[in-house]
């Protein structure tokens, strides 16, 4: 079957079976083309609470499908490829965070949305890369324990000097693959390009950026900018999507190694098989996990707007 034949089958099944397909911006082009909605983690969470289809297929990673289930527990939520996890979300377990809370009783725990549903049950508020600064500033508490991304946490702490932010050492293995040497090489090769980076990159990369933001933030900035050339410091799908959106501009990946294998494991045939009911994993969460984890996501939406 060709790509467009598979896409047409998916579009037909979607209508017949009342399925909504959500795709993170790191998904491949053939998937984002047939998705009902594509965006960054924050936009997908907000959308998840609004969708009225019976079934939601999440093309992204596990914590994103869990977020949909937490926000829409009455829906059938399918993770398109069960092997799509986020290594950062699995770096810290409940026991570690419970110990940290005991050691820091005066701190409020802010969890990056890239955490498991189980971990969210013992945190106070969630943030995403696009909403973290706004949310931390809006919180009445001054002492914040930020988990699990030390790079996003460092960036947030710099933007919120009025807060006491304690960081824990975790991070994204994909974004941590790039260092200052990649920036210097890319800038040498493309001296007129602006550097747009995700805050999951290390501070030595972020300090050179012309713009720092989430995947959607980077895309919006590049689309609206009058500049013609950009070095893209996030997962390489974003460079590809931007090249389609803006054929008269040029986009250079900061490194060829900026590939998230977990995001890339989902294929278009996986999505078709999910629509046929022969693939994917239904996300099942118990009522207590949903209720407790939801408090922290609701707080995110309340402070994030
Ligand atoms: P966004 O908030 O940009 O969607 O980031 C999600 C993610 O996993 C980036 O690595
Ligand atoms: Fe997780 Fe990093 Fe992949 Fe995002 S890019 S899903 S944080 S491993």
């Amino acid at each position: 079957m060709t790509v467009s034949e598979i896409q047409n089958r998916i579009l037909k099944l979607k209508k017949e079976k009342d399925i909504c397909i959500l795709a993170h911006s790191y998904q491949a082009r053939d998937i984002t083309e047939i998705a009902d909605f594509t965006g960054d983690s924050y936009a997908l969470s907000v959308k998840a609470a609004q969708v009225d289809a019976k079934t939601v297929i999440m093309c992204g990673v596990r914590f994103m499908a869990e977020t949909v289930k937490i926000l829409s527990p009455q829906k059938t939520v399918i993770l398109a490829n069960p092997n799509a996890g986020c290594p950062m979300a699995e770096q810290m377990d409940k026991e570690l965070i419970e110990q940290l809370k005991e050691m820091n009783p005066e701190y409020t725990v802010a969890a990056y949305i890239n955490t498991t549903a189980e971990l969210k049950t013992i945190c106070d508020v969630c943030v995403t890369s696009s909403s973290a600064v706004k949310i931390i500033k809006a919180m009445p508490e001054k002492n914040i324990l930020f988990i699990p991304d030390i790079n996003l946490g460092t960036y947030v702490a710099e933007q919120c000097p009025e807060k006491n932010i304690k960081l824990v050492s975790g991070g994204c293995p994909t974004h941590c693959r790039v260092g200052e040497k990649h920036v210097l090489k890319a800038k040498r090769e493309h001296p007129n390009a602006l550097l747009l980076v995700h805050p999951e990159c290390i501070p030595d990369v972020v300090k050179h950026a012309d713009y720092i933001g989430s995947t959607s933030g980077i895309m919006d900035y590049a689309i609206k900018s009058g500049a013609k050339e950009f070095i893209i410091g996030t997962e390489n799908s974003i460079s590809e999507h931007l090249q389609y959106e803006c054929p008269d501009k040029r986009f250079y990946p900061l490194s060829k190694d900026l590939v998230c294998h977990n995001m890339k494991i989902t294929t278009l045939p996986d999505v078709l098989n999910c629509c046929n009911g022969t693939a994917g994993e239904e996300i099942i969460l118990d009522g207590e996990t949903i209720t407790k984890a939801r408090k922290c996501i609701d707080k995110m939406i309340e402070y994030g707007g």
Side-chain angles (χ1 to χ4, degrees), residues 31-65:
I31 294 178
T32 58
E33 278 174 0
I34 49 87
D36 294 283
F37 186 79
T38 302
D40 65 7
S41 306
Y42 189 78
L44 289 177
S45 310
V46 172
K47 204 72 197 166
Q50 298 165 345
V51 165
D52 45 38
K54 225 167 53 198
T55 303
V56 178
I57 296 176
M58 170 55 77
C59 304
V61 291
R62 183 170 294 272
F63 77 82
M64 295 175 176

Side-chain angles (χ1 to χ4, degrees), residues 193-206:
L194 295 181
L195 174 66
L196 318 185
V197 308
H198 198 283
E200 285 177 16
C201 290
I202 63 168
D204 270 353
V205 168
V206 171

